[in-house]
Structures are given as C-alpha cells and as structure tokens.
Amino acid sequence: MIKKAGKFIRDGKLVAFPTETVYGLGADATNNDACLKIFAAKKRPANNPLIIHVTTLEQAQNIGEFSKTAKRIAQAFWPGPISIVLPLKVNSGIAPAALAGLNTVALRVPAYQIALDFINEAGRPIAAPSANPSNYISPTNINHVRSHFIDNPEIFILSLDDYQSSYGLESTIIDTSTPYPIILREGSITAEIISQELKDIKIAPSTSSTAIKSPGMFFRHYAPITPIRLNACYLEKEEIALNFGNSNLCLRAQNTAVSFSLNLSPTGDLAQAATNLYSYLRMLDDYAITHHVCSIAVATIPRIGVGVAINDRLNRAAA
Ligand code: TXA
Ligand code: MG
C-alpha cells in the first residue's frame, strides 16, 4: 500500500493519507501539474497556498529559511500538529501552484507513522491540504475521505487502518517570517503552550490583518451544508443539537424530545471535543439533510486552551 502510494506521487497523481490532525490530499510538491490536480479535485481557489509536508527538520531547511526562533519552534514541536510559515529558500524546488504566488512557505512534519512512511516512500516533499471539497468539513477518518474521492482514478486512498485523527483539528499555523511570530490559525498547540515551552519567545496576538498573510483563509470555512446556530441555550423548532459537557440541548420548545443530538465530550474534556468535532458535525449534517431539520444548535464551548481553536472553527462554519 505504502509502495503504491509512493508510486502514485512520483507518477504525478494524488494520495489521500492519514495524519494526526486531519486527513490530507497529497501531491509531489515539486510537480506543478500534480499540485494543480489538488486544486481541481477540491475546487480550491488558486490563491490558497498548500502546506508542504516533510519528515525531518533537515528536509524542511532545504525549503524554508529558518530563523533561530523558527528552528526552536520546530525542534520543540515537530513531529506534531504545527505548521511553520517561513521565507521561501531560493531554489527550494517547490512548485509555484503550491505556493499560490507567495514568497513564504508553510512547512510541517506530521506525527503519524503511516504519514511519515508514505512521505519517505514518495521521496518528495508532499503538498497537502485537507482531503475534503473546498470549504466543507475536514476529514478525520477514512470514510470521510472515501465519501468525497472514492471515484476519482487520479486519487489513491491510503487506508492501512481505521485511524481516527487523534487531534481532530487542522494544525496550528504560526508565521515566523515576521519580527514576532504570529498565530495565523489556532490549533491544538496554542500560543500559551508555545510560550510555556519556549519561555523567551514572544508571540504577537493575531489581528484581522493577519488574514492577508494567508489569502486562503476566507472566513466561511469548515462548514456543513446545514446552518449552524452557536452558543445555544435551548432548541428551536426543527433543530438538532451538539452538546458539550453538561449542556443539555435535548428538548424542543414544545417539550418534545429532539430527534437527534450528540455530545462532543460528556465529561467536558476539550481535547476529546476537538477529536470528535468534525465527525459529529458530519453526522449531524448527514442527518439534517435526510430529515426535516433547519439548523444545528451548538452549546457554548469554553474559550480556553484548544477551546479557542474549536470556537474558531465553529465561528467559521456558522459564518
Ligand atoms: O493539519 C493540517 O494542517 C492539514 C494536514 C493535512 O496537514 N492541512 C491543512 O491544509 O489543513 P489546508 O490546505 O486545509 O489549510 C492550509 C492553510 C490555508 O489556510 C493556507 O492559506 C495556509 O495554510 N497557508 C499555506 N501556506 C501559507 C503561507 N505561506 N502563508 C500563510 N498561510 C499559508
Ligand atoms: Mg482545509
């Protein structure tokens, strides 16, 4: 399977593969035509650059210019769920389509063995966005990927096991091409965790202008087809529910039981909620599409730790 996946990449085709964050749809990052196939398969706007996946810091250093700070972040958190944005090295060999015209590059070493084995077998850096149609919910298990791409002969789906992505949210993106590192996308590795680990590194708070750095970060994203209503305290007519902890969105206004509800983490564990978020949103969306449901009501989720990233994704899904 890994061998076949490597060959698909070297032949300029695509491979969907598991990572600890979400499943990726990979191509040879040095092959422009192969990278263009990703944009076509996902219907992704051409101005949204791809993250480049490698297996070691040494490989990453052939592609991006690491400042001292960038190197320390990589050493502390790779392999792991953080992508580092760096100035692009001259002669990096990365295809222009993958970079969407930027002179910076986002690099990541994933922390899942099958992903690392696959990248090594391919023998190329792998450009990979999440393996879902543009703007839909990212995939966290193999069935999500199959539901989108099973019929595409250009895509090999690498399924060695029934892995459920353990973090469940896309990697944190940190820009180190600026005087102070800036978080461009919240994730499981929070600014707080980075400053705890690397005490003298200051991280600038993200502002609305950071979006310009990442032209692909359009506000509506990660979204189900069914509308979402956030911070719900009760259910409206024809709603289904996504609960958290002891939130109890289960009765409709008329006091009849709701037809469908899920709880991201009955014990109020935010990491578990992050792991479950996308698969639960997909289950609720699938239910809503086949039943008479007008929206998904979501209980309040605390904005602490990884709860910040969960709220970021939910806000984008509801936009
Ligand atoms: O966890 C992840 O990051 C997953 C797995 C597959 O690794 N990948 C992922 O890729 O979430 P994608 O394409 O869905 O999101 C990549 C984000 C986009 O919002 C893009 O704008 C941003 O990374 N990005 C890529 N290169 C960038 C750069 N040079 N500067 C700023 N943002 C960049
Ligand atoms: Mg994505």
Side-chain angles (χ1 to χ4, degrees):
M1 270 252 184
I2 296 268
K3 282 215 159 25
K4 183 170 176 189
K7 182 154 174 8
F8 252 67
I9 293 296
R10 292 189 300 277
D11 288 346
K13 295 190 265 187
L14 310 182
V15 173
F17 64 102
T19 89
E20 81 282 25
T21 57
V22 300
Y23 277 65
L25 182 63
D28 174 355
T30 66
N31 178 334
N32 206 60
D33 288 340
C35 290
L36 287 172
K37 287 180 189 171
I38 293 179
F39 289 86
K42 284 182 55 102
K43 299 194 171 63
R44 180 179 175 104
N47 69 349
N48 192 356
L50 307 176
I51 294 173
I52 312 299
H53 299 67
V54 292
T55 59
T56 61
L57 174 58
E58 290 62 44
Q59 284 170 20
Q61 284 175 311
N62 293 327
I63 301 172
E65 265 334 320
F66 279 73
S67 64
K68 265 203 187 116
T69 300
K71 197 168 166 189
R72 289 182 57 207
I73 295 171
Q75 282 167 334
F77 297 105
W78 280 355
I82 187 163
S83 299
I84 306 179
V85 174
L86 307 143
L88 184 69
K89 250 192 156 154
V90 197
N91 301 326
S92 68
I94 300 300
L99 300 169
L102 298 182
N103 55 8
T104 55
V105 60
L107 285 159
R108 173 163 119 78
V109 177
Y112 187 55
Q113 195 56 47
I114 291 174
L116 296 170
D117 291 348
F118 153 63
I119 302 167
N120 280 330
E121 177 65 31
R124 316 280 160 83
I126 300 292
S130 48
N132 53 279
S134 195
N135 292 345
Y136 193 62
I137 305 162
S138 294
T140 52
N141 70 42
I142 198 74
N143 291 327
H144 298 158
V145 177
R146 288 200 184 106
S147 72
H148 303 306
F149 298 120
I150 193 85
D151 294 329
N152 190 330
E154 291 277 328
I155 301 176
F156 178 63
I157 299 175
L158 181 57
S159 56
L160 286 172
D161 55 17
D162 278 340
Y163 181 61
Q164 149 80 50
S165 294
S166 50
Y167 290 95
L169 295 178
E170 303 80 359
S171 61
T172 302
I173 302 182
I174 188 160
D175 188 358
T176 62
S177 68
T178 42
Y180 290 111
I182 299 175
I183 305 261
L184 298 183
R185 179 172 75 186
E186 308 284 350
S188 298
I189 296 182
T190 59
E192 205 183 333
I193 291 176
I194 299 169
S195 342
Q196 244 160 41
E197 181 75 25
L198 305 168
K199 296 224 160 34
D200 52 318
I201 291 185
K202 278 205 196 82
I203 297 175
S206 44
T207 63
S208 53
S209 69
T210 52
I212 296 160
K213 274 273 181 181
S214 191
M217 285 189 190
F218 313 109
F219 198 74
R220 185 177 159 81
H221 214 116
Y222 317 106
I225 292 159
T226 314
I228 287 199
R229 190 168 67 85
L230 298 180
N231 301 313
C233 307
Y234 57 91
L235 276 183
E236 292 189 5
K237 220 175 136 200
E238 288 162 12
E239 280 190 331
I240 52 178
L242 186 57
N243 283 298
F244 173 76
N246 55 15
S247 82
N248 194 20
L249 300 173
C250 68
L251 285 183
R252 288 193 182 132
Q254 318 91 314
N255 244 18
T256 53
V258 62
S259 46
F260 193 41
S261 77
L262 293 171
N263 193 322
L264 286 171
S265 170
T267 58
D269 175 344
L270 287 166
Q272 184 185 31
T275 307
N276 290 334
L277 180 67
Y278 289 151
S279 57
Y280 284 16
L281 279 177
R282 280 171 182 260
M283 282 192 256
L284 289 160
D285 201 25
D286 289 347
Y287 182 92
I289 291 163
T290 50
H291 294 74
H292 201 70
V293 168
C294 70
S295 57
I296 301 168
V298 183
T300 300
I301 294 169
R303 287 166 198 276
I304 45 170
V306 71
V308 176
I310 296 174
N311 277 288
D312 166 68
R313 302 307 191 274
L314 284 170
N315 282 321
R316 288 171 193 273

